[in-house]
Amino acid sequence: MDTGSESLRGTPGRMARAYAELFSPRPFDLTTFPNDEGYDELVLARSIPLRSVCEHHLLPFVGTAHIGYLPGHRILGLSKLARVLEHFACRPQVQERLTKQVAVVSYSPVDFRTGELYDMRALTRAAHEAGALALWDLCHAVGALPLQVDVLGVDLAVGCGYKFLSGGPGAPAFLYVAQRHLAALETPLPGWTGHAAPFALARDYTPAPGIARARIGTPPILSLLALEAALTAFDGVDLHQVRAKSLSLTGFLLRCAEELLAPLGFTSVTPSDPGRRGSQVTLRHPHAHGLAVALAGRGVVADMRAPDLLRFGVNALFTSHGDLLTAASRLRDLTVEGAYDPAPPGAGPVT
């Protein structure tokens, strides 16, 4: 790898192109920015036609919208969206209400708790029919399955580099904005590196053309380089083949869970239907926290989500069926032996 100054200076652009190959946006519709908790809950600005919404429950099953104000800007945040696809698609009274109230529909293609895969095409279409924008959180999907955000008409997307892209802790996140929105895009935090002429020292802020205006600070070069190296694992790889192997692996782990773990009180919350499954398997057990800690001690890395979910992320690039059988067998053994702490988790970091 060339580590000269010119190579380092070009890292953000190379990373944007590498990301683009994974979910098919048009060239240069993408920029990277430092990972930041809550980055996927702040959505956009006055120039994109967001509807006038005050703080209230949009719908009982959708979530809460929060409007905040900065000089000349409006920020809309959406969080805690529930399963809305059937409501969007099948309930005319809901559709009518959405048309009047919703500015942005924000969700993930893959539920981070259960691993359930949602229909991006149908939900994006339903959001557009309601006059809303579609914002997708791709963290649990990018690198695990084919994503064609341009073909689907996605307006905005965010994602991270540390999950299926294997960028490691602190890997940069990314922002996608459809080309049709770029000219109107204004960010709530305009940054020096997103200025059209950062060294002109002009009195007024002039955004850079295209997606470059979304840059708000100096790119984390070392983290970008680590992620760039990780992404070389995708060179020459067909994501449809990755998806096929992922489904084989997760289906096998579900079978292992049914035969080895169900008799011990484990239940699967991940859909068995391949068309509704991402690239993880989640098992329910009342002692999920203690089991996750004990598994780590036996060389199996899983995590838990409160109150009782034990998650296994399956990266098809390097995980084998034998790895998953080993994981299920070790989980069975330590459960039978009672070799874990059954106490509920206390306050502290996630596993």
Side-chain angles (χ1 to χ4, degrees):
M1 178 183 296
D2 181 6
T3 57
S5 60
E6 291 301 319
S7 178
L8 294 177
R9 192 175 297 117
T11 301
R14 295 198 306 274
M15 290 306 305
R17 289 188 289 273
Y19 270 135
E21 293 177 0
L22 294 175
F23 56 95
S24 305
R26 297 182 183 90
F28 309 112
D29 284 8
L30 184 71
T31 191
T32 57
F33 61 98
N35 203 343
D36 183 4
E37 288 188 9
Y39 69 87
D40 56 347
E41 294 184 2
L42 292 180
V43 191
L44 287 179
R46 63 184 181 189
S47 296
I48 291 181
L50 303 181
R51 299 183 184 278
S52 178
V53 184
C54 296
E55 182 174 7
H56 66 294
H57 284 285
L58 297 178
L59 292 168
F61 52 83
V62 174
T64 304
H66 303 276
I67 290 292
Y69 289 91
L70 292 174
H73 293 274
R74 184 180 70 186
I75 303 173
L76 173 64
L78 283 178
S79 61
K80 298 181 181 178
L81 290 186
R83 295 178 58 187
V84 298
L85 176 58
E86 57 268 37
H87 298 284
F88 273 68
C90 305
R91 296 192 179 185
Q93 69 274 26
V94 170
Q95 188 81 13
E96 179 181 356
R97 217 174 146 193
L98 288 173
T99 301
K100 297 177 181 178
Q101 296 184 356
V102 172
V104 177
V105 175
S106 174
Y107 206 49
S108 171
V110 180
D111 189 297
F112 76 95
R113 298 165 298 259
T114 67
E116 181 172 3
L117 177 66
Y118 299 108
D119 190 333
M120 285 184 68
R121 182 183 300 275
L123 187 51
T124 299
R125 181 173 59 246
H128 289 167
E129 290 174 354
L133 300 176
L135 165 66
W136 287 98
D137 174 355
L138 304 179
C139 289
H140 291 261
V142 65
L145 63 151
L147 296 168
Q148 295 183 313
V149 291
D150 285 327
V151 173
L152 299 180
V154 170
D155 298 290
L156 307 156
V158 293
C160 65
Y162 69 87
K163 294 186 185 296
F164 291 104
L165 301 185
S166 304
F174 63 84
L175 166 70
Y176 164 84
V177 180
Q179 193 170 44
R180 62 187 176 277
H181 294 310
L182 286 175
L185 175 66
E186 296 183 16
T187 62
L189 296 173
W192 176 71
T193 54
H195 198 288
F199 294 103
L201 304 179
R203 183 178 69 87
D204 298 323
Y205 178 80
T206 302
I211 194 64
R213 66 185 59 191
R215 295 175 181 152
I216 61 173
T218 303
I221 298 299
L222 296 181
S223 296
L224 283 171
L225 289 172
L227 179 58
E228 182 179 28
L231 291 181
T232 61
F234 289 93
D235 291 349
V237 173
D238 184 342
L239 281 174
H240 291 88
Q241 294 180 339
V242 173
R243 173 64 172 160
K245 184 183 176 186
S246 166
L247 290 176
S248 176
L249 290 166
T250 52
F252 177 71
L253 183 54
L254 286 171
R255 180 182 172 188
C256 290
E258 181 180 355
E259 297 186 7
L260 301 178
L261 301 172
L264 301 176
F266 291 86
T267 57
S268 172
V269 299
T270 301
S272 59
D273 178 359
R276 295 179 54 223
R277 189 168 71 239
S279 198
Q280 74 181 59
V281 169
T282 302
L283 305 178
R284 174 170 282 127
H285 191 280
H287 302 150
H289 180 267
L291 290 167
V293 173
L295 272 175
R298 299 197 179 189
V300 177
V301 179
D303 70 1
M304 67 85 59
R305 288 295 176 265
D308 57 1
L309 299 179
L310 188 61
R311 301 191 313 175
F312 296 86
V314 178
N315 192 322
L317 285 179
F318 53 76
T319 305
S320 70
H321 293 77
D323 293 332
L324 298 180
L325 178 58
T326 296
S329 299
R330 291 180 183 177
L331 179 56
R332 176 201 58 192
D333 293 345
L334 66 86
T335 304
V336 171
E337 297 165 9
Y340 62 91
D341 183 357
V350 298
T351 56

